[in-house]
Amino acid sequence: MDGIWYLERVSADGSTARHDLLDWPFHVGRDAAGNTLVVVDMGLSRRHAQLAQDPAGRLWLTDLDSTNGSFVNRERVKGAALLKEHDVLHFAQAEYRLRWRPDTALFEAPAEPDKTRLVQRDLSANFAPQEPQFLELLAGRGLSGAIQPIVQAQGGALFAYELLGRGEHPELPRSPMQLFSLAAVLKREAELSQAFRDLGIERVAAGLPGTTLFVNTHPKETFEPAFVDALVRLRDERAAVELVVEVHETAVVDVTRLRELAARLKDLGMRFAYDDFGAGESRLVELGEVPPHFVKFDMGLIRDIDRASPNKQKVVHDMVRLVHDLGAVALAEGVETEAEAVVCRQMGFDLIQGYLTGKPGPLPPSSAA
């Protein structure tokens, strides 16, 4: 297939630049003489690496015995390495992504030699070598989730579930924290958050109708119009589930926008919760200005609360009373022992969530299964 390979890089101002691979072999190095791509940085050797095509049209990277190395997807090249589209290449610390376009007519003239001066010593991470797999995940391949019970502090009756995102793509991490780290590199955190919600709500609505379901949000999407639009769609399509929208503690910084979001959620018939309360700043001002329906106390406050000092226990107890005074429900996260649960009940917590009362379990099976 006719086309052209090119290298893509991120400039200091965040814009992208392209370097077309038009002449073979394509040499990268510090010297202007003899190199197609000149990178002015002392970390590069004078003649650092070569890219070349074999008779079958495959692309290879050869390190020319450089001092600081050439890397493919952050693995140092010893000799030559076969390349594929979306590979992330480093020549010392200079980072590029390999791309392919089948229509050469759409290309502009080759870019000027790269004069970027790089100063960082570790390999940069402007590009993610697993971007194709991540896009597959967003499309549904390997996307999964779990639900963890939330119970009444007194009596232990089931009150709700929290929806938790999980990954099962064979080439990606399973941990949601690692997946969101990858999403941050790609600037797709909101898309990943929405994908987890869409899948989980669909499965819970079909398998556990009538459930109250707490759903997480990412701080980057909380106040975006697209987020509310998605909630409208979920309400209309998945009416069998009663949603509680969790607003992360780090997003609770703008009272005006928070008040607007609370009004929109009220119009949609949805309740909301402040998540990870007490993890950083307690946001007491926002708590008073825009009281939520639920306040989820961070597990850092709850862990070993039975062995905490009297002063810490008093602080947490007073915070629970404040939540109640505002008409909200106090939920203790991360309860793992009966001793912790006893103290939480004594403090007046209404709800408990944690391994003591239920570990995360699988989503209901898909109706297509």
Side-chain angles (χ1 to χ4, degrees):
M1 178 175 61
D2 291 335
I4 189 169
W5 291 101
Y6 66 98
L7 296 177
E8 183 181 34
R9 71 175 175 85
V10 176
S11 302
D13 62 359
S15 62
T16 58
R18 192 188 69 241
H19 304 275
D20 300 344
L21 277 59
L22 299 175
D23 300 317
W24 302 105
F26 186 95
H27 289 101
V28 181
R30 195 175 77 243
D31 275 1
N35 289 309
T36 321
L37 174 60
V38 179
V39 184
V40 184
D41 181 82
M42 294 304 294
L44 268 77
S45 298
R46 296 180 183 278
R47 288 176 59 82
H48 194 97
Q50 170 185 289
L51 290 94
Q53 286 185 310
D54 64 18
R58 297 178 301 177
L59 190 61
W60 293 81
L61 169 65
T62 302
D63 183 78
L64 301 178
D65 295 323
S66 67
T67 301
N68 294 317
S70 302
F71 301 79
V72 177
N73 299 327
R74 298 175 177 81
E75 294 290 333
R76 186 160 185 165
V77 173
K78 297 180 179 179
L82 180 63
L83 303 178
K84 63 182 182 303
E85 187 179 11
H86 299 294
D87 278 345
V88 176
L89 313 182
H90 281 84
F91 308 108
Q93 291 82 36
E95 182 184 15
Y96 297 84
R97 177 168 56 183
L98 181 65
R99 301 298 301 273
W100 166 266
R101 282 288 294 273
D103 188 356
T104 58
L106 295 178
F107 276 79
E108 303 167 359
E112 292 296 319
D114 189 347
K115 301 296 183 180
T116 304
R117 180 167 296 279
L118 302 167
V119 295
Q120 62 191 72
R121 300 182 63 183
D122 296 329
L123 294 182
S124 56
N126 290 312
F127 299 115
Q130 297 168 304
E131 182 176 7
Q133 295 91 332
F134 185 82
L135 295 179
E136 291 177 352
L137 181 76
L138 290 182
R141 183 190 174 199
L143 198 67
S144 186
I147 49 175
Q148 184 175 25
I150 297 170
V151 305
Q152 298 281 359
Q154 303 293 338
L158 178 66
F159 176 80
Y161 289 101
E162 180 180 359
L163 175 63
L164 305 169
R166 296 288 186 269
E168 294 181 353
H169 192 290
E171 299 178 64
L172 292 174
R174 297 179 64 90
S175 162
M177 184 176 298
Q178 291 177 298
L179 289 173
F180 272 106
S181 295
L182 177 58
V185 175
L186 299 170
K187 297 180 173 58
R188 292 177 176 268
E189 301 100 311
E191 293 176 64
L192 178 60
S193 181
Q194 187 62 52
F196 280 138
R197 277 196 305 274
D198 285 349
L199 174 73
I201 293 171
E202 176 184 1
R203 298 272 287 273
V204 172
L208 296 169
T211 296
T212 297
L213 189 65
F214 284 63
V215 294
N216 290 285
T217 61
H218 193 278
K220 287 194 174 181
E221 68 177 330
T222 306
F223 301 118
E224 295 300 318
F227 172 63
V228 176
D229 292 342
L231 290 179
V232 172
R233 173 178 54 80
L234 290 171
R235 180 202 60 182
D236 295 341
E237 296 177 358
R238 312 295 173 196
V241 174
E242 182 179 353
L243 295 182
V244 177
V245 177
E246 296 192 14
V247 180
H248 193 268
E249 190 262 352
T250 57
V252 185
V253 293
D254 188 326
V255 170
T256 300
R257 299 178 77 186
L258 191 62
R259 187 178 289 113
E260 293 172 354
L261 176 63
R264 292 298 307 275
L265 292 176
K266 183 178 180 180
D267 291 341
L268 294 174
M270 297 180 184
R271 293 178 287 177
F272 72 102
Y274 286 165
D275 193 18
D276 293 336
F277 184 70
E281 299 179 41
S282 293
R283 303 296 179 196
L284 295 176
V285 172
E286 291 83 356
L287 184 66
E289 291 285 346
V290 191
H293 299 91
F294 302 89
V295 176
K296 301 187 72 175
F297 282 64
D298 184 72
M299 64 178 61
L301 290 176
I302 304 303
R303 188 66 46 79
D304 296 326
I305 191 64
D306 55 305
R307 293 185 287 175
S309 68
N311 285 339
K312 178 180 178 179
Q313 290 188 359
K314 183 179 186 306
V315 168
V316 176
H317 190 189
D318 288 346
M319 292 170 70
V320 172
R321 288 195 296 182
L322 173 62
V323 166
H324 287 162
D325 288 344
L326 294 171
V329 173
L331 189 159
E333 286 192 283
V335 178
E336 296 189 351
T337 68
E338 182 58 37
E340 292 171 346
V342 168
V343 173
C344 286
R345 295 186 193 106
Q346 292 172 347
M347 289 181 171
F349 277 98
D350 306 286
L351 301 173
I352 285 177
Q353 179 181 358
Y355 276 24
L356 175 68
T357 54
K359 296 181 180 180
L363 292 172
S366 171
S367 58

